[in-house]
Amino acid sequence: MLLSVYRNSPYLVGCLFSANLKDPRRSVRIGNEPLSMDQTAELVAKIRQTVADLNRVDDALKESPLVLTQSELFLCMALLAFRQSGCRFCFVEIDPQNQDPTRFLPPPFAAVICGAIPHADRQEMQAIRTSIRHGIREIVSAPQNREAHTLIANTCASVQCRLTIPARSQIALGRLTLRNTEFSYQGTPFRLGLCGKFQITNATVALESLSMLGRMGFSVSEEQKALGLANVKIPAKFEVLSSSPTIIADSTHAKVAIGTVLESLSDFRSMIGSSIRLLLPDGELVEPYIQTLSEMNYKIQRVVLLSDRNETDGMTLRFIKKKDVIRSSLDSLSADEILLISGPQDFTEEIRYDLLQSLGF
């Protein structure tokens, strides 16, 4: 959302998406453009040579040579690309649950906590606390439950870090469709080019982040905010691929997010019905999806899983090959059925791409 807004501004912005580290051209973006193959090769060669030089001249590294992790390599590559391109500032996405390569850098001037922190996850709570104490000057956080909010607020207060949380009372829901979402925040109307009520919370976090960036000297106009949010497109984020029949792709890697996805689906129940097929990777998301859908009185017609074996067990079908998963998911799919594709980002995006090709797009 932030990149979409700044695309219409005079500021060139870099971004590292650490959730997708398999393809550097998709992970590192300058403005809205991915790195070229030539840039990628040049940067990797430069980093490789630097590491080799360090291992050769530093006595401390001769017995235990420096070997970059994948996330460290991508971070180095991104920062070099941002500097070469003259980016004014950059967004770096990190996952506190995994190894954070930015911990060796000077602290960023600000951080955004995009989602709800599981308060029962003590390790993640501690990671958030450590990040705040790293020296960040401002935090913008999505609304949290009481325990997580107290932890963030107290930690920010202890290090004099400004904390901003969007006010739910300032949100007014407008019109929801399978193509966009209308809402207002603090009295200003917006149209979001994404589907799903949960995206409104994400949009208010983005709007508060834009206000924070304005205080840092990177301001944008109200018109640029509205245009950026209206034009934002995020593949496989509650993305409607077809409306007749309804096919939705949503990348979901955590069980805690299943409820949010299905609540958004239920907002359109009167339009698209309650008969549903699931297309998932075989694993820990399957049972929570089935249980939550059953509790919400959805009628599950078929569960198709990409698995390590070919097997049929009642309404559950497992296939080894992606083409068989897609064929079975689309087979006799009626106009009043929903096909929900979900799973980790890499899985969902690959299935989305192959499915769109099979539909002729």
Side-chain angles (χ1 to χ4, degrees):
M1 292 181 187
L2 294 174
L3 281 177
S4 184
V5 171
Y6 278 102
R7 191 181 308 154
N8 306 299
S9 79
Y11 306 109
L12 184 62
V13 181
C15 188
L16 170 62
F17 295 98
S18 63
N20 190 359
L21 293 182
K22 289 188 176 180
D23 185 348
R25 293 166 298 159
R26 296 167 64 195
S27 301
V28 183
R29 303 186 77 86
I30 310 295
N32 196 43
E33 297 300 318
L35 291 182
S36 68
M37 285 298 293
D38 287 344
Q39 284 177 295
T40 302
E42 177 189 341
L43 292 168
V44 170
K46 186 172 184 177
I47 294 167
R48 179 182 179 278
Q49 187 60 54
T50 300
V51 172
D53 291 343
L54 286 171
N55 286 332
R56 187 180 66 256
V57 303
D58 192 329
D59 292 336
L61 295 175
K62 288 181 178 178
E63 291 188 7
S64 180
L66 173 63
V67 178
L68 296 186
T69 65
Q70 186 182 45
S71 58
E72 289 167 347
L73 172 62
F74 274 70
L75 178 63
C76 291
M77 185 168 59
L79 294 177
L80 285 171
F82 300 156
R83 186 175 67 180
Q84 289 178 1
S85 301
C87 293
R88 292 291 304 278
F89 62 99
C90 63
F91 304 122
V92 177
E93 179 189 47
I94 65 167
D95 182 355
Q97 291 183 320
N98 296 322
Q99 194 175 41
D100 172 18
T102 67
R103 69 193 185 281
F104 298 117
L105 298 178
F109 62 79
V112 179
I113 301 173
C114 298
I117 303 171
H119 68 277
D121 189 335
R122 299 297 173 183
Q123 183 177 355
E124 185 165 350
M125 296 274 273
Q126 181 58 43
I128 294 291
R129 182 188 288 113
T130 301
S131 295
I132 295 172
R133 288 175 174 168
H134 190 43
I136 298 168
R137 291 185 290 172
E138 289 214 30
I139 296 279
V140 177
S141 173
Q144 306 290 339
N145 62 38
R146 181 178 298 178
E147 185 173 351
H149 178 274
T150 300
L151 176 140
I152 296 170
N154 290 346
T155 307
C156 285
S158 70
V159 294
Q160 296 183 322
C161 172
R162 178 171 180 163
L163 174 63
T164 302
I165 297 177
R168 284 196 175 101
S169 62
Q170 296 296 310
I171 300 173
L173 179 63
R175 185 164 167 261
L176 297 175
T177 74
L178 290 172
R179 295 300 176 194
N180 51 55
T181 304
E182 295 179 5
F183 71 101
S184 66
Y185 184 60
Q186 297 179 340
T188 302
F190 294 96
R191 172 176 288 185
L192 187 61
L194 299 170
C195 178
K197 192 187 297 182
F198 69 98
Q199 295 288 8
I200 296 175
T201 299
N202 295 333
T204 60
V205 173
L207 288 168
E208 291 293 357
S209 299
L210 290 166
S211 297
M212 175 270 294
L213 286 163
R215 292 192 292 272
M216 299 291 184
F218 306 110
S219 60
V220 291
S221 68
E222 294 302 315
E223 291 76 16
Q224 288 167 334
K225 293 178 186 178
L227 182 63
L229 291 183
N231 291 333
V232 67
K233 299 296 179 186
I234 308 175
K237 287 294 185 182
F238 207 82
E239 180 188 15
V240 179
L241 305 179
S242 168
S243 55
S244 183
T246 303
I247 302 176
I248 296 173
D250 187 88
S251 54
T252 303
H253 69 279
K255 290 185 285 187
V256 69
I258 290 174
T260 301
V261 174
L262 296 182
E263 283 174 17
S264 293
L265 188 68
S266 68
D267 289 332
F268 304 102
R269 201 163 189 161
S270 60
M271 290 186 285
I272 62 178
S274 301
S275 182
I276 191 167
R277 296 184 184 190
L278 287 173
L279 196 170
L280 305 167
D282 201 355
E284 63 177 7
L285 294 179
V286 178
E287 286 305 317
Y289 254 118
I290 293 173
Q291 180 180 343
T292 307
L293 283 167
S294 299
E295 291 170 353
M296 297 175 70
N297 296 318
Y298 276 90
K299 186 176 181 181
I300 303 173
Q301 301 290 350
R302 186 179 299 181
V303 180
V304 185
L305 306 177
L306 184 64
S307 182
D308 58 359
R309 63 191 187 277
N310 292 320
E311 179 182 272
T312 300
D313 180 13
M315 67 176 179
T316 302
L317 295 86
R318 291 179 169 85
F319 298 98
I320 296 173
K321 296 180 179 179
K322 281 192 298 180
K323 66 177 183 179
D324 294 330
V325 169
I326 293 170
R327 177 188 51 77
S328 178
S329 299
L330 296 177
D331 182 36
S332 303
L333 182 66
S334 63
D336 60 354
E337 280 185 292
I338 307 159
L339 172 59
L340 177 61
I341 305 162
S342 192
Q345 184 171 338
D346 287 341
F347 168 85
T348 309
E349 288 192 351
E350 286 181 17
I351 293 291
R352 166 194 179 274
Y353 178 80
D354 291 346
L355 186 142
L356 286 173
Q357 278 197 320
S358 70
L359 293 175
F361 294 99

